[in-house]
Amino acid sequence: MELSSERVLAPLEMSQTASQVGEPAPDNGDYESLPPHVSVTTHMTAGAVAGVLEHTVMYPVDSVKTRMQSLQPDPNARYRGVYEALRRIIRTEGFLRPLRGLNITMMGAGPAHALYFACYERVKHSLSDVIKNGANSHLANGVAGSVATVLHDAVMNPAEVVKQRMQMYKSPYRGLWDCVRTVTRTEGASAFYRSYSTQLTMNIPFQAVHFITYETMQEWLNPHRHYHPGTHIVSGAAAGAISAVVTTPLDVCKTLLNTQENVALSSMNISGHLSGMANTFRTVYKLGGLAAFFKGVQARVIYQMPSTAIAWSVYEFFKYFLTKQEARHPSWNGK
């Protein structure tokens, strides 16, 4: 493992030294200078690993976010902040309670992020070639992120429904499969996609802002696009924070559609199941006014900043590392 790390870091040090003395960086095989060697398999593998790590590391904060977005929370589930919420959940409900629902998230995150990153890279490069002759294009980045989101959410939406129902305070489900069976039996299979349109309405602008911010930060911090962990972490964190704040109102609506919060719906005399984005917006506003649309914004930013930093740094590392291996062993790609 030490040998591999040295091989990864050596070209980076060479390029940084060349940049410092004002000379052009040598053609050292960085992934950005070798697009033919960056296979779809590489993008999918790097994306899957990044997605699983992103959701796993930050999952307890995601659980807190879901609870803090509750519009009519139980008195025992009202929290002043993220840290206080985590401490109370662990103390009153058990050490593993903030991880409830992690299994379904990991099952969905791998394939969802594999499609997400592979689609983003392919569409981004194709559109950039047309729009700016291969140079970075904000329009290409935004469109690519939006298209990738449609595929990602198609895979991830059912997992989100199960995850958020298991995260809620006093969740009635014994486990993953009990939740899936109960929801299917009582609400039908369509319940797993009830929030899909709202999810897309939220995630398309989220990912457009996210990718544009990330690529813009990379232009400023890492114009030669060499592998540089620090710039990927900072760019990812900034992209996650800005996108999270902008789309929090839609995330609140998505959470209500996914959880079908009984107390909140009963207080509005809503029988059956809440559906439709317009109905959800009206319900949220009636329950708490404009402030309700920003419930959990602190937890959402705290979750998204490190999540996107982890996702991008892990993705860029694996993309770089796997591309290097493919260059050394062309037979891996069937060449």
Side-chain angles (χ1 to χ4, degrees):
M1 188 63 191
E2 291 178 0
L3 180 60
S4 298
S5 298
E6 290 171 2
R7 287 177 178 173
V8 168
L9 292 173
L12 172 61
E13 291 170 356
M14 289 174 60
S15 65
Q16 288 175 327
T17 302
S19 298
Q20 288 170 358
V21 298
E23 298 174 359
D27 184 4
N28 53 27
D30 286 321
Y31 59 76
E32 289 293 344
S33 63
L34 286 173
H37 293 161
V38 186
S39 65
V40 173
T41 302
T42 295
H43 291 311
M44 295 187 76
T45 303
V49 174
V52 170
L53 285 177
E54 170 193 352
H55 286 284
T56 301
V57 173
M58 296 305 300
Y59 192 82
V61 179
D62 184 58
S63 294
V64 170
K65 176 189 74 73
T66 296
R67 292 197 181 190
M68 292 182 76
Q69 288 180 333
S70 173
L71 296 170
Q72 295 285 338
D74 186 283
N76 293 320
R78 299 184 186 209
Y79 312 110
R80 293 189 299 273
V82 175
Y83 175 72
E84 187 258 347
L86 274 174
R87 189 177 58 188
R88 279 180 54 192
I89 291 170
I90 291 171
R91 187 179 70 247
T92 61
E93 302 175 49
F95 182 75
L96 297 178
R97 187 67 179 191
L99 299 178
R100 199 162 192 260
L102 177 59
N103 47 3
I104 186 64
T105 300
M106 293 178 66
M107 289 167 62
H113 279 72
L115 289 172
Y116 171 74
F117 278 109
C119 177
Y120 171 72
E121 294 280 7
R122 179 59 60 89
V123 175
K124 179 184 76 170
H125 286 299
S126 297
L127 288 179
S128 294
D129 287 341
V130 173
I131 298 170
K132 280 200 173 180
N133 213 19
N136 183 49
S137 164
H138 295 317
L139 177 59
N141 299 334
V143 172
S146 300
V147 174
T149 298
V150 175
L151 291 178
H152 172 274
D153 288 0
V155 175
M156 202 65 190
N157 205 86
E160 281 282 315
V161 172
V162 175
K163 176 200 78 172
Q164 291 197 307
R165 291 191 182 219
M166 294 181 70
Q167 287 174 331
M168 292 296 284
Y169 181 69
K170 289 188 176 179
S171 171
Y173 309 106
R174 294 189 301 274
L176 163 62
W177 298 114
D178 177 53
C179 181
V180 172
R181 285 193 298 267
T182 302
V183 172
T184 303
R185 185 178 67 252
T186 59
E187 302 177 41
S190 62
F192 294 106
Y193 281 93
R194 187 180 288 128
S195 65
Y196 185 53
S197 61
T198 302
Q199 181 100 334
L200 286 179
T201 303
M202 175 187 72
N203 279 347
I204 286 176
F206 177 94
Q207 297 302 348
V209 173
H210 173 191
F211 282 113
I212 289 171
T213 303
Y214 180 81
E215 298 289 356
T216 300
M217 293 288 290
Q218 283 292 286
E219 278 189 331
W220 294 344
L221 302 175
N222 187 20
H224 296 295
R225 298 306 180 96
H226 300 307
Y227 173 67
H228 195 294
T231 68
H232 303 314
I233 291 171
V234 172
S235 300
I242 293 170
S243 304
V245 172
V246 170
T247 58
T248 292
L250 290 163
D251 193 47
V252 171
C253 294
K254 182 206 75 172
T255 297
L256 181 59
L257 280 170
N258 278 345
T259 60
Q260 297 292 309
E261 192 181 339
N262 290 329
V263 176
L265 298 186
S266 297
S267 69
M268 295 294 297
N269 296 318
I270 297 175
S271 58
H273 307 296
L274 184 67
S275 62
M277 192 167 61
N279 286 336
T280 308
F281 264 93
R282 283 194 295 268
T283 302
V284 171
Y285 183 76
K286 288 177 181 177
L287 284 166
L290 291 176
F293 288 103
F294 287 91
K295 295 201 72 172
V297 65
Q298 178 198 35
R300 182 163 162 77
V301 171
I302 291 173
Y303 169 75
Q304 287 294 347
M305 281 187 70
S307 288
T308 48
I310 290 168
W312 276 111
S313 59
V314 171
Y315 173 70
E316 296 283 13
F317 169 75
F318 274 92
K319 189 171 76 167
Y320 177 86
F321 178 75
L322 293 173
T323 299
K324 285 289 189 182
Q325 298 307 308
E326 289 173 4
R328 292 192 185 101
H329 307 282
S331 60
W332 289 8
N333 269 343
K335 297 175 184 175

